[in-house]
Amino acid sequence: MEEQAALQFPVGNEIIEIKQDTTGNINKTYLVTLTDSERFILQRINKRVFTQPELVMRNIRRFSEHVARKLAVAPIDKGRRWETPQVLAARDGKDFWIDAEGEYWRALSFIPRSRSYNTAQNEAHAYEVGFGLGAFHNLISDMKADQLADTLPGFHIAPGYLAHFDKVAANHSTEITAEVRHGLAFVEARRGFISVLEDAKASGKLPLRPIHGDPKINNVMMDTVTGQAISIIDLDTVKPGLVHYDIGDGLRSACNALGEETKDFDAVCFEPELAKAILSGYLEQAHHFLTPADYEHLFDAIRLIAFELGLRFFTDHLAGDVYFLADHRGHNLERALVQFALCQSIEAQESTIRKIIADAL
Ligand code: GN1
Ligand code: MG
């Protein structure tokens, strides 16, 4: 089906290769190579997650237009290249093509001379990941909330994930292994903490701002020559939220040197030196819009987003792998155990991480 889908996007050249990229956990992604080594990204949108793909595409269009207008008057950091993935129109001019089974396919430009990594390569790379997220927040900070549809209600609302977990846990048929028992106890011990960001939001301490939603390290594209961050891809969840979700996600993904897919759970560790580098890059771009209340909640955000993702993977394991794409039964449990171990490492280093945050200001 991907060949047929690729042909719906008139990009001018013959296709020489279509290669699946399995790093994403939601959409099916392919890298399409054209004769003159031009490339584009082809994706089948996961309709179970994004039930209104048209709205996702409309958000991406609006986002891109906003960013293009903004960059035209205020480029990022003198001379730094910054790119936004472009939606490539299908033959009928639409932003997507629907196949015979009702699946939505879309094409996006591939950012030339760029690559990303699943783990931080060194502190300079971590700094760039932070810088890229700060630049991204700056670019969308003045986008009006009503410009962006809520394409994934409940996304990053941690108490909602816990309520869903409770429902699934009360009525599942998954085997209770030692690992599952560990997961259940891990969640139980952190119930009281789950609403830390939503409470601060409800009481007006933390404002809603446009955010990326999914800025994990491999969504931050690096220029292959300069090593600078030049784009953040995967724009499906750009919508109003807390910058804390993004900061937490950037840090939990980039400070875990073993990455999300390791099975060496006991060795998973949050690296404070990488956190320091990310925050310094981030704050260089973002310090002017963060408030004291924002800073106060940074540690909680790092801890919460690791825990929340663990909870989401764990719930999906109990539910029978209905949300995240999984290679094998048990895959989402393994992923959950990684995030729980990361969360535990964050908790164990609380005073060190709080000091890094305080020193970064
Ligand atoms: C999912 O598809 P991908 O890998 O970009 C998920 C994120 C998780 C991430 C963990 C819409 O993103 O929230 O942090 O997996 N996206 C959605 O790898 O649920
Ligand atoms: Mg994503």
Side-chain angles (χ1 to χ4, degrees):
M1 187 56 85
E2 58 270 21
E3 286 97 28
Q4 202 194 338
L7 291 168
Q8 306 306 316
F9 298 92
V11 282
N13 276 308
E14 217 177 288
I15 293 166
I16 52 168
E17 188 190 37
I18 302 182
K19 210 164 120 200
Q20 193 171 358
D21 175 329
T22 55
T23 39
N25 295 331
I26 307 290
N27 299 321
K28 265 201 170 170
T29 302
Y30 301 87
L31 180 63
V32 182
T33 304
L34 307 170
T35 30
D36 59 355
S37 75
E38 252 183 286
R39 293 182 278 187
F40 74 91
I41 300 291
L42 177 71
Q43 285 187 310
R44 195 184 81 181
I45 300 178
N46 184 331
K47 270 200 309 181
R48 195 138 67 157
V49 172
F50 298 106
T51 53
Q52 292 178 281
E54 289 93 345
L55 287 186
V56 172
M57 298 314 291
R58 199 183 72 187
N59 275 4
I60 295 179
R61 280 259 181 221
R62 289 190 173 167
F63 161 87
S64 310
E65 284 161 14
H66 178 89
V67 169
R69 268 197 305 272
K70 203 134 179 209
L71 282 174
V73 290
I76 291 171
D77 195 37
K78 346 162 210 38
R80 178 184 292 243
R81 167 184 173 215
W82 189 267
E83 309 244 6
T84 305
Q86 300 298 310
V87 176
L88 308 178
R91 293 191 183 282
D92 60 1
K94 289 216 178 84
D95 288 345
F96 44 79
W97 173 71
I98 305 175
D99 71 18
E101 280 148 31
E103 298 290 349
Y104 283 68
W105 295 80
R106 69 169 171 210
L108 297 161
S109 63
F110 180 82
I111 315 283
R113 289 172 286 114
S114 78
R115 63 160 300 180
S116 73
Y117 302 83
N118 291 328
T119 54
Q121 304 300 293
N122 47 46
E123 284 169 29
H125 176 214
Y127 172 90
E128 284 297 322
V129 169
F131 186 100
L133 183 59
F136 186 96
H137 280 170
N138 262 335
L139 282 169
I140 56 171
S141 58
D142 56 344
M143 241 190 125
K144 301 262 177 322
D146 62 3
Q147 286 270 61
L148 296 167
D150 189 353
T151 48
L152 194 52
F155 191 53
H156 285 310
I157 308 297
Y161 291 122
L162 186 63
H164 178 56
F165 163 82
D166 282 338
K167 263 197 213 147
V168 170
N171 187 18
H172 71 90
S173 48
T174 306
E175 187 190 349
I176 308 267
T177 58
E179 278 112 354
V180 169
R181 208 168 287 124
H182 165 69
L184 292 169
F186 197 89
V187 174
E188 229 25 68
R190 285 159 187 80
R191 270 183 191 277
F193 163 68
I194 198 86
S195 62
V196 61
L197 290 184
E198 295 318 301
D199 288 348
K201 185 167 96 185
S203 68
K205 280 191 197 137
L206 300 180
L208 279 179
R209 298 179 171 111
I211 63 161
H212 180 281
D214 188 13
K216 63 175 171 180
I217 184 166
N218 60 14
N219 280 335
V220 186
M221 303 305 291
M222 303 291 155
D223 185 291
T224 46
V225 177
T226 64
Q228 289 182 323
I230 50 152
S231 182
I232 304 194
I233 58 167
D234 190 0
L235 305 168
D236 292 333
T237 49
V238 171
K239 59 185 186 125
L242 297 179
V243 288
H244 295 72
Y245 306 151
D246 277 358
I247 301 170
D249 199 55
L251 283 150
R252 68 116 204 117
S253 63
C255 299
N256 167 10
L258 297 183
E260 263 171 61
E261 297 288 334
T262 180
K263 286 190 191 154
D264 197 357
F265 315 121
D266 292 340
V268 171
C269 175
F270 182 90
E271 308 283 348
E273 288 308 309
L274 293 173
K276 195 168 166 178
I278 295 170
L279 279 177
S280 101
Y282 180 75
L283 292 175
E284 183 172 324
Q285 285 289 298
H287 67 95
H288 63 92
F289 66 73
L290 294 181
T291 67
D294 285 326
Y295 289 118
E296 263 168 47
H297 289 83
L298 287 185
F299 174 77
D300 287 337
I302 302 167
R303 180 182 171 208
L304 182 68
I305 300 299
F307 176 55
E308 175 193 283
L309 183 58
L311 176 65
R312 294 172 61 202
F313 282 138
F314 188 47
T315 306
D316 203 34
H317 173 69
L318 297 179
D321 304 323
V322 294
Y323 184 93
F324 295 103
L325 300 175
D327 289 348
H328 54 271
R329 186 68 185 134
H331 194 175
N332 280 315
L333 176 60
E334 291 158 16
R335 290 163 166 163
L337 296 175
V338 173
Q339 296 304 314
F340 288 160
L342 187 64
C343 174
Q344 206 159 8
S345 170
I346 293 166
E347 291 165 354
Q349 300 182 85
E350 175 165 354
S351 54
T352 310
I353 300 170
R354 284 195 186 274
K355 184 159 186 316
I356 286 173
I357 294 168
D359 291 349
L361 310 185

